[in-house]
Amino acid sequence: MIGLRGASRYLSPEFKDAFELECEALSYVRNMMGLKNVQLMVPFCRTPEEGKEVIKILNENGLEKGKDGLKVWVMCELPSNVFAIDEFAKVFDGFSIGSNDLTQLVLGVDRDSGLLAKLFDEDNTAVKSAIAQAIKGAHRNGLEVGLCGQAPSDKPEFAAFLVDLGIDSISLTPDSVFQALNIVSQAEMKESLTKEISAAMSSDKTKQEVVDSKETKIGA
């Protein structure tokens, strides 16, 4: 699971022709088919230097970062992505937290190992701390950050945790969308109410008046 994959594979001489073919396909989709909304994501990028090299190859193959609105994001799924997020932010346009890989690498647990399955837990304090640092780091650099992984789909309360941190987007499995949307909506409403109550402390409104106002709007 941590061998020649992601950015390292893109840069390897053995994979050069295959990566150029991938670039050609993406260039065709954007430039010939006109689907300019298609953006790029670089997975498993171990260092900012690797990211720069990948972007260089993209440029050489008709996928110039910044041209015609092309954005190049990076998966934030390695501890190095979290610890050096300010450096990665200078290279990429945004982050997508890969909670599955981040969990296995923070905890040292192979996610494909049945023997260690009980230890694979996105709710682990260390994992949630890494996710929180990633979200704060991305926003500190003015970049968007989302999360793709199984956790919000399996554990709707995990989606509320992400909303509380101010995440910009969450990926979900189809069967969990409605339940998760309800959880996210409640979390956002709670966050909004908290902000209004905080603002009310420096005004003439009381905490109860803010709550009553919210309940009236919801009832309407």
Side-chain angles (χ1 to χ4, degrees), residues 126-140:
V127 177
K128 294 177 81 170
S129 176
I131 291 172
Q133 288 183 57
I135 294 173
K136 292 176 182 176
H139 288 163
R140 182 171 63 246

Side-chain angles (χ1 to χ4, degrees), residues 65 84 125 142:
K65 180 174 173 287
T125 300

